[in-house]
Amino acid sequence: INAEYMGIPRGQMSARAQNAPLSSGDEDEDEFLLQANTNQDSYSQSFLYFVNSLFVCALPVYVFRNIVGFGDVPENMLKPVWLIVTVTCALILSFAYKNVAFSMKNTLHKARAHSITKSTVKSELGDKDKRGGEAVSIADVLRNRRMHQLNFTNIETMAFSMAYNNVFFLLSLVVFAFYVFQNMPPEYNFILSVSISAALPTLVSANYEL
């Protein structure tokens, strides 16, 4: 069995894991469960959420400016409004990304929690798998497989959350901008439509469960 396929870097020694007390496996499992159930996003995830939401919330500016129009209101007066509404709604929408991703991650983690266990790894490796005279620890394989699964689940949930909330936002925008507030002045239509469309998925996602 290829040790790298099992998630063990080439040349990694397992003497420490071999001589470690039995409680270390429990500590690794507790650490994994803590990471799997935490609602704390990394800086890269938060940045990705904000950039994506900023792009999506900037689309209505193009639609209102080039399709709907703002009437006789000078564009110099509208630019600060565009900026404030876009950035504020992007921040609000990024919370919807986070809420849906966290809820879905918990659901998937519960469904996949028993797919990688000590017994399954041990049945594949036996007590020890040796490659090049170096022993591969079952605990190391288990930890690396679980972390790989957790990282893959994070990517899945982030992609789903952004796609789901983007569609929710854009559909809400169409309904509010072209039906609910269509008779209002364009500048007020823009502010209300974009703001409500960003707040609605965020409020819904606050109690989101799959």
Side-chain angles (χ1 to χ4, degrees):
I1 300 175
N2 192 326
E4 293 179 354
Y5 170 78
M6 295 300 172
I8 304 299
R10 184 184 297 272
Q12 177 177 340
M13 298 298 292
S14 61
R16 179 181 60 85
Q18 182 178 1
N19 298 324
L22 295 177
S23 60
S24 62
D26 296 332
E27 292 176 358
D28 290 337
E29 186 170 356
D30 291 341
E31 181 181 356
F32 170 74
L33 292 175
L34 180 62
Q35 293 186 39
N37 293 282
T38 183
N39 195 21
Q40 185 67 34
D41 292 322
S42 64
Y43 290 111
S44 60
Q45 288 176 318
S46 299
F47 178 76
L48 182 60
Y49 287 154
F50 178 72
V51 170
N52 187 276
S53 61
L54 188 64
F55 173 77
V56 174
C57 291
L59 292 177
V61 176
Y62 174 82
V63 173
F64 274 85
R65 183 174 181 270
N66 295 280
I67 299 178
V68 178
F70 283 97
D72 298 329
V73 181
E75 188 170 309
N76 290 334
M77 295 179 60
L78 292 172
K79 285 181 179 179
V81 176
W82 295 342
L83 180 62
I84 293 173
V85 172
T86 300
V87 173
T88 302
C89 291
L91 290 172
I92 295 174
L93 189 60
S94 63
F95 283 102
Y97 294 156
K98 179 178 179 179
N99 292 339
V100 174
F102 175 67
S103 178
M104 187 178 182
K105 183 177 72 171
N106 284 343
T107 302
L108 291 179
H109 174 66
K110 291 177 183 178
R112 299 171 177 176
H114 303 292
S115 61
I116 301 177
T117 61
K118 289 183 180 180
S119 59
T120 58
V121 173
K122 189 173 182 179
S123 64
E124 294 181 16
L125 297 181
D127 292 335
K128 294 287 182 180
D129 175 54
K130 294 186 178 181
R131 183 175 184 271
E134 297 177 355
V136 176
S137 170
I138 294 178
D140 290 339
V141 175
L142 181 64
R143 180 172 58 253
N144 279 275
R145 283 190 176 186
R146 283 179 169 177
M147 292 308 300
H148 176 75
Q149 182 189 70
L150 179 61
N151 291 334
F152 185 77
T153 300
N154 286 339
I155 295 173
E156 280 185 308
T157 55
M158 288 176 61
F160 173 82
S161 177
M162 288 187 288
Y164 169 84
N165 285 291
N166 288 346
V167 172
F168 198 155
F169 171 81
L170 293 175
L171 289 178
S172 300
L173 180 69
V174 170
V175 171
F176 286 112
F178 294 99
Y179 294 97
V180 179
F181 302 127
Q182 63 174 338
N183 295 323
M184 296 186 67
E187 59 272 19
Y188 295 108
N189 186 346
F190 170 78
I191 295 173
L192 291 175
S193 298
V194 178
S195 300
I196 296 176
S197 298
L200 190 59
T202 305
L203 292 174
V204 171
S205 68
N207 295 316
Y208 187 87
E209 292 184 3
L210 289 176

